[in-house]
């Protein structure tokens, strides 16, 4: 249920599912409608643009890309624990805040803007701040060594060049060395291309893998995951794209080493196969785990120290490399 709508040149206040939603107007007039729903532990946001030249794929909620977008709309379905939501406890209220931003391109007539989004809830009587909240990056399984890089055409060695013509395939391989560990399955949870070796809020980015392991590029190109040679490796054939053509490009990825028996809709490697739809790399019979690639792949609501022992995450950067015009 959407609980807020209207032209965003005024302040709006509305109640939704027991939560007070505050949506403050941007300093500049923006020609769009925004509808927001504060759920018990998630937020949905629909942004509808009236300007035909606006690129809705450039909207960000915190550090999250749109769950889906079209020529005039962007839709977000996110957990309050994702997207860098900020949490503040004030008296009897539990407040979550974030920013909806528009990252304008250098040649765009549309100006960048930031729009606050705040959800305030009644503080549960039995709620107390967590003293220790285990996450993958702080839970040690010992020394795992992650590797990722550009490869040659048959993945037998490193790439001989960092220049790739438009339309060609960029072979990418990631691996994890696990000499003293139980077998782990390596997954690419998220990858975005950018023109900088580090990501900033104003960085120009291009999503490649999103939604917990969905290879977005496979929908409209020849990009795909290659069959595994071993569980601790994952190979990606990525078709070059027009993003930042002629410039230095870096690919920022989140690698996940996971229990091979613990695949679910948030721990997977999925690519789109023409004529078949979304398929799971590691078990075609379980391709239903990829059904959420068209919507929102939800994370588990309850986490424990035991469940965190299944894996570790690591952030890595590939590049720089350059995509060249065939005519150049």
């Amino acid at each position: 249920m959407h609980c807020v709508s209207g032209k965003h040149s005024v302040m709006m206040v509305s109640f939704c599912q027991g939560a007070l939603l505050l949506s403050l107007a941007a300093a500049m007039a923006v020609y769009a409608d925004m509808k927001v729903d504060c759920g018990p532990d998630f937020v949905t946001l629909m942004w509808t643009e009236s300007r035909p030249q606006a690129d809705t794929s450039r909207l960000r909620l915190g550090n999250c890309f749109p769950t889906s977008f079209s020529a005039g709309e962007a839709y977000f379905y996110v957990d309050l624990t994702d997207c860098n939501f900020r949490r503040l406890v004030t008296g009897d209220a539990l407040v979550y805040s974030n920013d909806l931003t528009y990252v304008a391109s250098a040649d765009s007539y549309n100006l960048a803007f930031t729009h606050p989004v705040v959800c305030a809830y009644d503080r549960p009587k039995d709620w107390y701040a967590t003293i220790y909240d285990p996450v993958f990056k702080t839970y040690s399984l010992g020394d795992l060594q992650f590797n990722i890089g550009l490869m040659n055409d048959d993945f037998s060695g490193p790439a001989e060049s960092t220049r790739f013509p438009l339309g060609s395939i960029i072979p990418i391989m990631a691996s994890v060395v696990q000499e003293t560990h139980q077998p782990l399955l390596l997954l690419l949870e998220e990858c975005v291309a950018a023109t900088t070796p580090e990501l900033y809020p104003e960085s120009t980015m291009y999503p490649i893998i999103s939604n917990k392991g969905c290879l977005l590029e496979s929908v409209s190109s020849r990009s795909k995951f290659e069959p595994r040679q071993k569980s601790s490796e994952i190979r990606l054939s990525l078709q070059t794209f027009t993003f930042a053509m002629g410039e230095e490009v870096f690919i920022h990825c989140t690698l996940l080493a996971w229990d091979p028996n613990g695949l679910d809709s948030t721990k997977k490697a999925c690519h789109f196969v023409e004529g078949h739809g979304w398929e799971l790399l590691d078990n075609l019979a379980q391709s239903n785990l990829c059904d959420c690639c068209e919507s929102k792949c939800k994370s588990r609501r309850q986490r424990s120290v035991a469940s965190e022992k299944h894996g570790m995450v690591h952030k890595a950067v590939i590049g720089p490399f350059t995509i060249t015009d065939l005519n150049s």
Side-chain angles (χ1 to χ4, degrees), residues 172 191-194 208 238 241 249-253 316-319 321:
I172 297 171
C191 289
V192 299
I208 297 170
L238 178 66
F241 35 77
V249 175
F250 299 82
I251 295 181
H252 300 257
C253 290
V317 182
I318 313 166
F321 62 90

Side-chain angles (χ1 to χ4, degrees), residues 176-189:
V176 58
V177 178
Q178 49 188 79
E179 295 180 358
T180 60
H181 301 273
Q182 79 245 23
L184 292 172
L185 185 72
L186 186 63
L187 301 168
L188 291 173
E189 189 173 68

Side-chain angles (χ1 to χ4, degrees), residues 164-167 195 240-249 322-326 328:
F164 298 90
L166 182 63
T195 55
T240 51
F241 35 77
T242 57
F243 170 79
M245 193 164 57
E247 303 179 46
E248 286 192 340
V249 175
T322 305
I323 299 172
T324 60
D325 192 334
L326 290 172
S328 62

Side-chain angles (χ1 to χ4, degrees), residues 30-250:
V30 290
Y31 301 97
D33 289 328
M34 185 170 77
K35 296 179 181 179
V36 183
D37 182 358
C38 294
D41 53 5
F42 66 90
V43 174
T44 64
L45 185 154
M46 175 67 80
W47 184 269
T48 305
E49 272 284 353
S50 61
R51 296 169 296 174
Q53 71 273 27
D55 182 357
T56 56
S57 70
R58 304 186 72 85
L59 286 164
R60 307 284 183 268
L61 182 58
N63 64 345
C64 286
F65 291 88
T67 305
S68 62
F69 61 87
S70 62
E73 292 183 335
Y75 175 70
F76 295 85
Y77 184 121
V78 299
D79 293 339
L80 288 170
T81 55
D82 293 336
C83 306
N84 288 338
F85 267 92
R86 300 175 294 274
R87 183 177 65 189
L88 178 66
V89 182
T90 58
D92 294 329
L94 190 59
V95 181
Y96 290 86
S97 63
N98 212 327
D99 296 304
L100 180 73
T101 59
Y102 182 81
V103 184
S105 60
D107 57 351
S108 173
Y109 291 103
N110 297 311
L111 298 177
F113 64 82
T114 299
H115 199 94
V117 174
V118 180
C119 290
Y121 302 82
D122 292 334
R123 178 178 176 178
K125 294 181 180 180
D126 58 351
W127 187 91
Y128 298 94
T130 303
I131 297 175
Y132 175 64
D133 183 17
V135 295
F136 289 142
K137 65 180 180 181
T138 60
Y139 191 89
S140 175
L141 291 175
D143 296 326
L144 291 180
Q145 180 181 344
F146 292 88
N147 301 290
I148 189 168
L150 304 174
M151 305 297 290
N152 58 16
D153 291 345
D154 61 1
F155 293 90
S156 61
E160 298 176 357
S161 172
T162 57
R163 295 177 65 84
F164 298 90
L166 182 63
S168 65
I169 296 295
I170 305 175
I172 297 171
M173 185 171 74
S175 64
V176 58
V177 178
Q178 49 188 79
E179 295 180 358
T180 60
H181 301 273
Q182 79 245 23
L184 292 172
L185 185 72
L186 186 63
L187 301 168
L188 291 173
E189 189 173 68
E190 180 182 54
C191 289
V192 299
T195 55
T196 54
E198 295 184 15
L199 292 179
Y200 306 98
E202 65 273 16
S203 294
T204 302
M205 292 178 282
Y206 180 85
I208 297 170
I209 298 174
S210 186
N211 212 357
K212 307 293 185 181
C214 301
L215 179 56
L216 304 180
E217 275 295 285
S218 62
V219 175
S220 58
S221 75
R222 295 184 290 128
S223 299
K224 63 179 179 178
F225 290 115
E226 298 290 350
R228 288 191 191 268
Q229 304 300 306
K230 56 178 71 173
S231 65
S232 59
E233 290 181 356
I234 187 165
R235 299 179 177 187
L236 169 63
S237 289
L238 178 66
Q239 187 174 9
T240 51
F241 35 77
T242 57
F243 170 79
M245 193 164 57
E247 303 179 46
E248 286 192 340
V249 175
F250 299 82

